[in-house]
Amino acid sequence: MEKQQRGFVQFIVQGSLVKQILIGLILGVLLAWLAPAAAKSVELLGALFVGALKAVAPVLVWVLVMSSIANHKTGQKSNIRPIIFLYIIGTFLAAVVAVIGSLLFPSTLTLVTNNAQMSPPENIVEVLKGILLNVVANPIDALLRGNYVGILAWSIGLGIALRHAKESTKSVLGDLADSVTNIVRVVIRFAPIGIFGLVSSTIATTGFSVLFDYGHLLIVLISCMIIVALVVNPLIVYWKIRRNPYPLVFACLRESGVTAFFTRSSAANIPVNMEMCRRMKLDEDTYSVSIPLGATINMAGAAITITVLTLAAVNTLGITVDIFTAILLSVISAIAACGSSGVAGGSLLLIPLACTLFGIPNEIAMQVIAVGFIIGVLQDSAETGLNSSTDVLFTAAACQAEEARVASEQLTQR
């Protein structure tokens, strides 16, 4: 009996997090099905878990990026440029896939009135202006609000300045980064309990009946995301590492995508991605910057959401789309997606920006946003799962490609 208890405790503390999350998922669905009232009461568990992730993620990004840059040795490569290129090309190709899917299988909307007060950007200049204002935001305010553009800007600036500090100061930064990372690992171990609360309360409160009216739209959206995750991204990774990409793709979807699917926040999933990169033994100087950066600009799922919902509105209004406009929409959606926030529903507020390309008035665009919130139970979850898992995927691909290049050069020199 005592041996069984020790085995159970060991499974809880050191067992596979993915298996524990799946158990939490199944139990959450069963509770929502068998006892909806009780399922609603465990919402606090999910709220506490997501709240803990959101609380620790800004501090983690601040400390890790600052420490990584401050302790960076002159001449040491960090592979950030190739990763940024992968982020950009991946987001653009995701928008292209969404355009093709929407044109082949056009969707229509039942436009509804949304009374929520929102302030979406009116043009691409406003999006860029918002990004620049976030860069120069007060650092304390950036930490409090989860403004990752501002956090990155300040942590990079301080990290560069601290490269000239004493070694003892750099050592303190390294110890602080390790301490915050340990706190994050503790938070992540509670993911199964948090996901149990999130799933059970969401299904008990919302259910899936509301999704049936928008089944076709959801199928197009999620199908495009699946194509990007299982076809486009593997092709990009294969081009980078020149070997079978699917073991890496499936590992990222399983360990990062599953958690992001339920937290519905790329920002909240940063600690999960950091931990996965650490276990994969990737270069810490690289992933400590690329992962939080990816949560800010690597938004393939957001590009798909913006494109598909915009073209659904276009099709509903009977507007003709030519090839040039479709390409321009892909570019605008990719740029807008990079400006979307790493929080649940962040991409929806950028739909009016894409709608202006077709002359769709803001009143109708706001109704499209309302449709997005209606299907958000699955749309936003799938979008975040794709976004966040791709952050790890492209970081790992760039690091492995660099390792292979270095190994090949060393072999040649021998």
Side-chain angles (χ1 to χ4, degrees):
M1 183 67 177
E2 185 177 345
K3 185 177 180 180
Q4 292 177 341
Q5 290 177 343
R6 284 200 303 267
F8 177 75
V9 171
Q10 187 175 9
F11 172 75
I12 295 297
V13 176
Q14 301 178 348
S16 170
L17 188 62
V18 175
K19 292 180 180 178
Q20 293 176 5
I21 288 175
L22 290 176
I23 292 173
L25 168 63
I26 295 171
L27 292 177
V29 172
L30 289 176
L31 181 62
W33 177 41
L34 298 174
K40 293 179 182 179
S41 66
V42 300
E43 181 181 6
L44 179 62
L45 296 175
L48 287 173
F49 172 65
V50 175
L53 280 177
K54 289 182 177 179
V56 76
V59 180
L60 177 71
V61 171
W62 175 282
V63 174
L64 277 184
V65 173
M66 184 169 56
S67 173
S68 176
I69 294 176
N71 287 285
H72 182 74
K73 305 298 182 183
T74 303
Q76 185 177 351
K77 303 189 72 174
S78 60
N79 302 316
I80 294 299
R81 289 183 182 177
I83 295 173
I84 293 177
F85 175 76
L86 293 179
Y87 285 168
I88 294 173
I89 193 67
T91 301
F92 172 73
L93 290 179
V96 172
V97 169
V99 168
I100 295 173
S102 296
L103 294 179
L104 291 177
F105 306 97
S107 304
T108 56
L109 303 176
T110 302
L111 298 178
V112 297
T113 301
N114 183 33
N115 296 321
Q117 298 296 320
M118 303 179 184
S119 299
E122 297 178 357
N123 50 56
I124 195 65
V125 175
E126 190 172 338
V127 172
L128 296 175
K129 178 182 176 182
I131 294 174
L132 291 176
L133 289 176
N134 283 334
V135 168
V136 297
N138 181 287
I140 305 300
D141 183 69
L143 284 169
L144 292 174
R145 295 178 179 272
N147 169 16
Y148 286 89
V149 175
I151 292 171
L152 279 171
W154 278 96
S155 57
I156 290 172
L158 285 173
I160 293 173
L162 287 168
R163 291 186 67 177
H164 304 288
K166 296 179 180 179
E167 289 300 320
S168 57
T169 303
K170 296 180 181 180
S171 178
V172 170
L173 285 176
D175 291 340
L176 182 60
D178 291 339
S179 299
V180 175
T181 301
N182 289 332
I183 293 175
V184 169
R185 290 173 187 167
V186 173
V187 173
I188 292 174
R189 294 308 307 184
F190 287 94
I193 298 175
I195 287 174
F196 165 74
L198 286 169
V199 172
S200 59
S201 61
T202 300
I203 294 178
T205 303
T206 307
F208 293 101
S209 59
V210 72
L211 304 178
F212 294 156
D213 293 337
Y214 297 100
H216 183 273
L217 178 64
L218 266 173
I219 290 173
V220 173
L221 266 170
I222 296 178
S223 296
C224 289
M225 293 179 189
I226 291 174
I227 290 172
V228 170
L230 300 181
V231 178
V232 176
N233 284 350
L235 286 174
I236 294 174
V237 173
Y238 175 78
W239 167 76
K240 193 67 180 176
I241 65 177
R242 299 297 179 181
R243 63 174 183 271
N244 182 7
Y246 283 100
L248 180 59
V249 169
F250 289 140
C252 293
L253 288 173
R254 182 177 65 250
E255 300 190 31
S256 173
V258 170
T259 307
F261 183 90
F262 294 107
T263 61
R264 298 174 63 191
S265 171
S266 296
N269 211 50
I270 287 175
V272 177
N273 287 349
M274 292 280 202
E275 174 66 15
M276 183 177 178
C277 289
R278 185 191 66 80
R279 285 188 281 105
M280 293 172 70
K281 298 181 180 179
L282 303 182
D283 180 20
E284 186 173 353
D285 286 334
T286 298
Y287 72 73
S288 62
V289 176
S290 68
I291 294 300
L293 184 64
T296 306
I297 68 169
N298 184 34
M299 295 288 177
I304 291 172
T305 296
I306 294 169
T307 303
V308 171
L309 283 172
T310 299
L311 288 178
V314 167
N315 187 58
T316 301
L317 298 173
I319 301 173
T320 303
V321 181
D322 55 33
I323 295 178
F324 175 77
T325 307
I327 295 173
L328 184 58
L329 174 62
S330 299
V331 174
I332 291 176
S333 297
I335 295 173
C338 292
S340 66
S341 58
V343 298
S347 60
L348 297 177
L349 292 180
L350 292 165
I351 290 174
L353 174 60
C355 286
T356 58
L357 178 64
F358 301 94
I360 298 176
N362 196 53
E363 293 77 10
I364 295 179
M366 296 301 287
Q367 295 180 35
V368 178
I369 293 176
V371 174
F373 279 114
I374 291 174
I375 63 174
V377 174
L378 288 181
Q379 168 268 324
D380 198 38
S381 295
E383 173 187 317
T384 309
L386 175 61
N387 289 343
S388 193
S389 62
T390 306
D391 295 346
V392 185
L393 178 65
F394 287 165
T395 296
C399 289
Q400 291 180 6
E402 178 62 18
E403 290 173 0
R405 186 191 67 80
V406 172
S408 177
E409 289 181 355
Q410 291 176 347
L411 188 63
T412 302
Q413 292 174 357
R414 292 177 184 175

